[in-house]
């Protein structure tokens, strides 16, 4: 029997879900045209055809809408200067299948279950409450970044959602280890991969369901989570409520939302969303000459090193001779950030920044540096990060036909006067 505190938490969770469900039902009554009309503002992303509406969806503040069906929502870049953890209501949203997200009646605590099947000794199914009560809870701070974050900056242009830099976010995830859940079912000899399927489903039978796969060693690394909380709260509906996969250090394509099916397999899964989708050139830079086709590809995996200036935007006006503090963030695929360098002269000279609190090797790392414009005129500010194994960022952008993994040294142009 549940204790009084646990009973209150469960009752509160149920009330929150019902409130969310009511919101979702209301949104379900809106036509696509009504959603389009609901946009009160627009934003201009800094590339060709960059005009985007700012639209507020359930449990979200106004976000940049890339597409309405399926929902693709980008975080306004100014949010990343607010805090090192991205607020839940500002966290980006990315779906692949038109009917997404799944209807709330499939996600209720009474109905939702995640099942473990395939090459296991004991096929099992769990509610979220059962996961919480039967397995050790763990937390990790990790960046979730869409593979196509910053795709809109690719030249030549490539197909796909034309995003700015806001298809990423950093959160404190709480859940249970995938390793513990799999080992509880008993992994059969010869297991090679684990596949993951969410409750977002295709509209037509001929459209491939969104199923992803991880190698068995990654699934058992003890860091991959079945997460049910995000920044101390239940997952938002549009970020995978009530359960999602969290694969620290890996691109968001693997972070399956509304996760309900986990299958252990004894072969390499080759479904559409593993091949041909989400693949990069099979070389050290994951790149080819612009406009060409790679001879061989592999699945995209770990995040590349990235860094950004967050406290200043293109066109900002500064006072010559007055010192300001420049802030930003840096991250990588899980080795941790060792150094961030800042340049105020278009990369001719560099100074080392001060790194902020380390929330873990998968998290954003804040950096700061004082900067005094010496004279009037336009200045090109650049930032470059290096991780703990020496990986850094290219000075010129790399290219691939899918528009993935941009990690060039970014530039912010300001005017001092």
């Amino acid at each position: 029997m549940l204790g009084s505190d646990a009973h209150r938490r469960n009752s509160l969770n149920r009330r929150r879900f019902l409130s969310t469900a009511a919101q979702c039902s209301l949104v379900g009554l809106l036509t696509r045209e009504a959603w389009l009309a609901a946009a009160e503002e627009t934003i201009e992303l800094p590339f060709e055809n960059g005009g985007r509406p700012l639209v507020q969806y359930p449990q979200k503040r106004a976000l940049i809408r890339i597409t309405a069906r399926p929902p693709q929502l980008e975080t306004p870049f100014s949010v990343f200067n607010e805090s090192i953890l991205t607020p839940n209501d500002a966290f980006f949203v990315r779906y692949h299948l038109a009917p997404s997200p799944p209807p709330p009646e499939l996600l209720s605590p009474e109905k939702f279950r995640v099942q473990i099947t395939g090459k296991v000794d004991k096929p099992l199914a769990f509610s979220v409450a059962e996961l919480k009560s039967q397995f050790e809870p763990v937390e990790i701070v990790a960046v979730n970044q869409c593979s196509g974050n910053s795709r809109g900056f690719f030249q030549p242009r490539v197909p796909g959602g034309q995003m700015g830099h806001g298809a990423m976010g950093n959160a404190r995830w709480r859940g249970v280890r995938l390793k513990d859940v799999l080992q509880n079912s008993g992994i059969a000899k010869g297991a090679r991969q684990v596949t993951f399927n969410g409750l977002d489903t295709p509209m037509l039978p001929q459209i491939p369901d969104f199923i992803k796969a991880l190698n068995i060693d990654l699934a058992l690394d003890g860091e991959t989570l079945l997460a049910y909380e995000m920044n101390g709260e239940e997952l938002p509906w549009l970020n995978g409520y009530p359960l999602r996969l969290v694969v620290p250090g890996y691109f968001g394509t693997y972070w399956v939302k509304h996760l309900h099916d986990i299958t252990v397999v004894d072969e390499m899964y080759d479904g559409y969303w593993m091949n041909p989708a989400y693949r990069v050139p099979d070389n050290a830079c994951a790149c080819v000459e612009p406009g060409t086709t790679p001879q061989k590809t592999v699945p995209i995996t770990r995040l590349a090193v990235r860094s950004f200036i967050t406290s200043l935007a293109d066109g900002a006006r500064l006072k010559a001779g007055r010192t300001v503090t420049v802030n930003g963030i840096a991250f990588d695929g899980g080795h941790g950030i060792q150094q961030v360098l800042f340049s105020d002269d278009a990369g001719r000279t560099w100074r080392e920044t001060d790194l902020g609190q380390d929330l873990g090797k998968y998290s954003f790392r804040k950096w700061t540096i004082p900067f005094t414009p010496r004279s009037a005129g336009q200045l090109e500010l650049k930032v470059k990060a290096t991780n703990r194994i020496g990986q850094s960022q290219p000075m010129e952008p790399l290219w691939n036909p899918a528009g993935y993994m941009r990690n060039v040294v970014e530039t912010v142009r300001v005017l001092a006067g």
Side-chain angles (χ1 to χ4, degrees):
M1 181 177 293
L2 288 172
S4 59
D5 288 345
H7 180 75
R8 282 195 296 272
R9 284 196 299 270
N10 280 2
S11 298
L12 178 59
N13 288 344
R14 177 174 170 78
R15 287 197 298 272
R16 285 175 177 167
F17 177 78
L18 291 174
S19 173
T20 299
Q23 287 182 311
C24 298
S25 299
L26 177 61
V27 170
L29 297 175
L30 294 176
T31 64
R32 183 169 181 269
E33 290 72 21
W35 269 14
L36 291 171
E40 296 179 356
E41 299 180 66
T42 60
I43 191 170
E44 192 71 28
L45 298 177
F47 45 75
E48 186 180 357
N49 296 323
R52 302 285 185 273
L54 286 167
V55 180
Q56 189 168 1
Y57 280 57
Q59 299 177 295
K60 297 291 183 182
R61 68 178 76 175
L63 301 181
I64 302 166
R65 189 178 61 215
I66 308 301
T67 62
R69 191 180 177 103
Q72 293 189 75
L73 308 175
E74 180 177 338
T75 303
F77 197 75
S78 60
V79 168
F80 300 117
N81 200 53
E82 294 177 8
S83 65
I84 205 69
L85 296 179
T86 310
N88 289 4
D89 70 344
F91 213 93
F92 84 99
V93 173
R94 171 70 168 107
Y95 283 97
H96 297 80
L97 303 174
S100 301
E105 56 266 22
L106 296 181
L107 308 177
S108 69
E110 294 80 12
K111 187 165 186 178
F112 179 85
R113 297 293 184 273
V114 58
Q115 62 182 8
I116 295 86
T117 61
K119 300 298 180 178
V120 296
D121 299 332
K122 298 180 297 180
L124 295 170
F126 299 95
S127 67
V128 173
E130 288 167 338
L131 289 175
K132 291 179 179 180
S133 66
Q134 296 181 34
F135 298 95
E136 179 187 8
V138 292
E139 288 188 347
I140 193 167
V141 179
V143 174
N144 180 7
Q145 181 183 211
C146 180
S147 307
N149 192 27
S150 314
R151 182 185 283 123
F153 295 95
F154 270 62
Q155 291 292 340
R157 301 296 290 272
V158 296
Q162 300 300 301
M163 305 168 188
H165 296 315
M168 62 179 184
N170 188 44
R172 186 181 302 277
W173 309 94
R174 182 177 177 88
V176 299
R177 298 180 187 91
L178 174 63
K179 173 183 177 179
D180 293 347
V181 176
L182 290 175
Q183 290 182 336
N184 183 67
S185 282
I187 301 169
K189 185 177 180 180
R192 298 185 67 187
Q193 284 197 318
V194 184
T195 66
F196 305 88
N197 192 5
L199 284 169
D200 43 339
T201 55
M203 180 175 288
L204 301 172
Q206 60 267 36
I207 297 174
D209 199 0
F210 188 76
I211 301 174
K212 298 295 293 187
L214 298 177
N215 290 343
I216 192 70
D217 57 344
L218 180 59
L220 297 176
D221 70 355
E223 294 185 320
T224 302
L225 302 186
L226 306 181
Y228 44 75
E229 286 185 10
M230 179 178 171
N231 293 328
E233 300 177 350
E234 289 181 336
L235 297 169
W237 179 45
L238 293 171
N239 294 115
Y241 178 89
L243 192 72
R244 78 174 302 164
L245 193 66
V246 167
V247 191
Y250 272 57
F251 278 99
T253 179
Y254 294 98
W255 296 42
V256 175
K257 296 183 287 297
H258 319 290
L259 177 63
H260 84 109
D261 184 85
I262 300 171
T263 305
V264 179
V265 296
D266 58 4
E267 58 187 2
M268 300 302 286
Y269 177 75
D270 203 32
Y272 175 83
W273 297 102
M274 294 297 294
N275 187 16
Y278 284 102
R279 298 178 74 88
V280 294
D282 185 13
N283 54 41
C285 67
C287 68
V288 292
E289 286 296 316
T292 66
T293 301
Q295 293 184 348
K296 185 180 178 183
T297 63
V298 293
I300 194 170
T301 54
R302 287 195 176 273
L303 307 178
V305 181
R306 297 203 79 176
S307 59
F308 295 95
I309 295 168
T310 59
S311 59
L312 295 171
D314 269 350
R317 292 181 174 272
L318 304 177
K319 200 78 170 175
R322 178 179 296 176
T323 300
V324 297
T325 298
V326 181
N327 304 322
I329 53 174
F331 63 95
D332 77 329
H335 299 288
I337 295 299
Q338 179 69 36
Q339 180 188 66
V340 178
L341 300 177
F342 172 82
S343 173
D344 59 18
D345 57 8
R348 288 186 290 275
T349 62
W350 299 87
R351 292 187 291 138
E352 189 166 354
T353 67
D354 294 322
L355 296 182
Q357 181 183 6
D358 187 353
L359 297 182
K361 62 184 180 178
Y362 297 111
S363 172
F364 284 163
R365 190 78 183 268
K366 183 177 180 178
W367 59 265
T368 60
I369 193 169
F371 165 52
T372 309
R374 292 181 290 273
S375 58
Q378 181 171 281
L379 301 170
E380 288 192 8
L381 311 182
K382 294 180 180 287
V383 61
K384 178 172 66 173
T386 302
N387 69 9
R388 290 173 182 148
I389 64 167
Q391 295 171 332
S392 189
Q393 301 178 253
M395 293 299 294
E396 297 296 329
L398 306 176
W399 192 92
N400 59 67
Y404 294 155
M405 297 182 67
R406 178 180 168 97
N407 78 320
V408 67
V409 171
E410 303 288 355
T411 300
V412 173
R413 295 169 178 84
V414 300
L415 188 65

